[in-house]
Amino acid sequence: LLVLAGAAQAGILNARHPAPSPDGSVIAFSYMGDIWIVPSTGGSADRLTVHEAYDDDPIWSPDGSSIAFASDRQGNSDVYVVDSGGGEPVQVTLHSSWDGPQAWLGDGSELLILSRRDTSDYRLYSIPASGGPARTVVADDAFNASVSPDGRWLAFVTGRTSWWRKHYRGSASRDIWIRPIEGGVSTRLVGYEGDDDRPMWGADGRTIY
């Protein structure tokens, strides 16, 4: 613990998966297998989870009170939720397949997760934030999803190219699609023949980065 405290004071290097809070005042991130938070203006980082397992991919709830994250505490990746002020994390998914958080839905009562629980492909599911049965949201191969600020639209990625395969051009390239969160027709946004990935909604709800 003293070594970790010293590392935090000296400066954290190689922090990953940055996630700004809804009001933009705090950033959650993963570092050395745990979830940390730090003011957006800079300063001392506080460690939110303490466990020998690997915790990563923090996602804030809409009201900023909770953070969902992935952890392999039970041997494979599951989704957990912890109070943003600290406390004991609650396990949300219990499936033997790999599960990871993507976004919070609506008022924060549901989580959008990525899983291979029904197929060899990644699919998007919703699950109650307190745990419970999962519901399929996108049955096709889909990942790296982002929900619009008004909760009405879902942007996601399809494709089979590995992200590290540089300069790939072909039918397996990653493309960004959009569709209503409640279901309906999916529309491809970009016709680029290479890879497009990791869509992020702008605050106006009309722009995707």
Side-chain angles (χ1 to χ4, degrees):
L1 289 176
L2 290 175
V3 171
L4 287 171
Q9 292 174 1
I12 290 176
L13 300 177
N14 300 319
R16 306 180 67 206
H17 308 120
S21 60
D23 64 3
S25 64
V26 182
I27 296 174
F29 61 94
S30 61
Y31 173 67
M32 293 185 69
D34 285 304
I35 306 300
W36 298 64
I37 56 175
V38 66
S40 298
T41 55
S44 297
D46 294 321
R47 194 177 182 186
L48 196 59
T49 67
V50 182
H51 200 278
E52 62 269 21
Y54 191 82
D55 302 338
D56 65 352
D57 287 333
I59 306 287
W60 290 83
S61 64
D63 63 2
S65 66
S66 302
I67 295 176
F69 64 96
S71 180
D72 60 359
R73 300 179 183 210
Q74 300 299 325
N76 65 290
S77 179
D78 279 303
V79 177
Y80 291 75
V81 172
V82 65
D83 190 281
S84 59
E88 185 67 23
V90 176
Q91 186 174 356
V92 176
T93 65
L94 301 166
H95 202 275
S96 59
S97 178
W98 185 97
D99 295 327
Q102 295 279 284
W104 293 74
L105 298 177
D107 60 359
S109 60
E110 289 186 288
L111 279 163
L112 184 69
I113 67 168
L114 184 65
S115 182
R116 282 176 165 172
R117 56 182 56 203
D118 296 323
T119 176
S120 60
D121 295 329
Y122 285 114
R123 290 181 177 179
L124 295 170
Y125 300 82
S126 68
I127 190 169
S130 58
R135 174 179 61 87
T136 303
V137 176
V138 179
D140 299 321
D141 185 22
F143 51 94
N144 291 348
S146 177
V147 178
S148 63
D150 62 7
R152 296 175 54 200
W153 295 91
L154 177 67
F156 59 93
V157 177
T158 66
R160 296 180 177 273
T161 313
S162 299
W163 64 266
W164 59 83
R165 189 175 179 185
K166 294 183 178 181
H167 311 303
Y168 174 82
R169 303 289 185 273
S171 60
S173 65
R174 297 187 175 202
D175 292 312
I176 296 173
W177 294 71
I178 185 175
R179 50 155 277 188
I181 195 73
E182 296 300 329
V185 177
S186 297
T187 303
R188 189 173 69 169
L189 287 186
V190 183
Y192 175 57
E193 63 179 5
D195 286 331
D196 300 305
D197 204 354
R198 298 191 178 277
M200 182 177 66
W201 289 88
D204 60 3
R206 299 178 57 85
T207 305
I208 293 179
Y209 296 91

